[in-house]
Amino acid sequence: MNQQCIFCRIVAREVQTKLVFEDEEVIAFRDISPVAPTHILIVPRVHIASVNDLDQSDAGMVGRMVLRAKEIAKEEGIASSGYRLVFNNGPDSGQVVKHLHMHLLGGRPLGGKLG
Ligand code: 5GP
Ligand code: ZN
């Protein structure tokens, strides 16, 4: 755990969130500043700074993050209306929190522009 990392502190339950899901590998919670009606972050418990820091041994975990997003989207009622999964990575993406996370966004038309 990285004491300076807000998501490590959320994983450790030192910071409260609106929890959506947790298992031994990942947690999912509502973004504190949602930009869509559904805005959930899916976060590995282990501190990995970004996609750049993933390696082959993380492949299963990343796959399960996507599959978890699919299940959460179903529970949120947005599976058929549609949603977007986003990993920000590095300065040009606007990544603020340096602990790997996937945004699950939906509940309104998100627009076609990605950048
Ligand atoms: P990034 O730009 O790094 O991809 O996104 C980080 C996200 O984390 C932002 O959307 C921001 O609102 C969210 N966030 C930052 N701090 C907290 C927090 O303490 N609690 C929750 N629930 N979300 C946070
Ligand atoms: Zn962390």
Side-chain angles (χ1 to χ4, degrees), residues 1-2 5-9 45-48 98-99:
M1 155 161 192
N2 176 343
C5 173
I6 184 69
F7 287 0
C8 281
R9 298 187 64 211
R45 287 186 183 275
V46 61
H47 183 86
I48 299 169
K98 310 297 191 298
H99 179 135

Side-chain angles (χ1 to χ4, degrees), residues 6-7 10 29-32 41 88 94-97 101 103:
I6 184 69
F7 287 0
I10 287 171
F29 52 89
R30 293 191 192 277
D31 197 290
I32 202 166
L41 301 170
N88 286 323
Q95 183 184 7
V96 172
V97 178
H101 53 279
H103 296 257

Side-chain angles (χ1 to χ4, degrees), residues 1 10 36 49 51 63 65 72 75 81-82 85 88 91 94 96 102-103 105 114:
M1 155 161 192
I10 287 171
V51 171
M65 287 172 70
I72 294 172
E75 287 158 19
S81 54
L85 303 177
N88 286 323
V96 172
M102 185 172 64
H103 296 257
L105 299 157
L114 280 177

Side-chain angles (χ1 to χ4, degrees), residues 2-115:
N2 176 343
Q3 266 299 336
Q4 272 64 255
C5 173
I6 184 69
F7 287 0
C8 281
R9 298 187 64 211
I10 287 171
V11 167
R13 295 293 183 90
E14 291 175 14
V15 174
Q16 296 309 304
T17 56
K18 293 180 183 163
L19 201 67
V20 173
F21 174 84
E22 66 177 331
D23 66 12
E24 63 289 338
E25 190 171 50
V26 300
I27 67 170
F29 52 89
R30 293 191 192 277
D31 197 290
I32 202 166
S33 309
V35 299
T38 293
H39 187 172
I40 291 168
L41 301 170
I42 298 157
V43 179
R45 287 186 183 275
V46 61
H47 183 86
I48 299 169
S50 72
V51 171
N52 279 348
D53 301 287
L54 289 168
D55 60 36
Q56 201 56 43
S57 68
D58 299 311
M61 187 262 295
V62 174
R64 286 186 288 278
M65 287 172 70
V66 175
L67 292 172
R68 180 55 52 195
K70 172 188 133 173
E71 293 305 321
I72 294 172
K74 220 183 288 174
E75 287 158 19
E76 292 284 308
I78 59 171
S80 54
S81 54
Y83 53 92
R84 183 171 288 157
L85 303 177
V86 176
F87 285 93
N88 286 323
N89 187 89
D92 280 357
S93 75
Q95 183 184 7
V96 172
V97 178
K98 310 297 191 298
H99 179 135
L100 188 74
H101 53 279
M102 185 172 64
H103 296 257
L104 164 58
L105 299 157
R108 65 165 171 80
L110 294 167
K113 228 176 154 211
L114 280 177

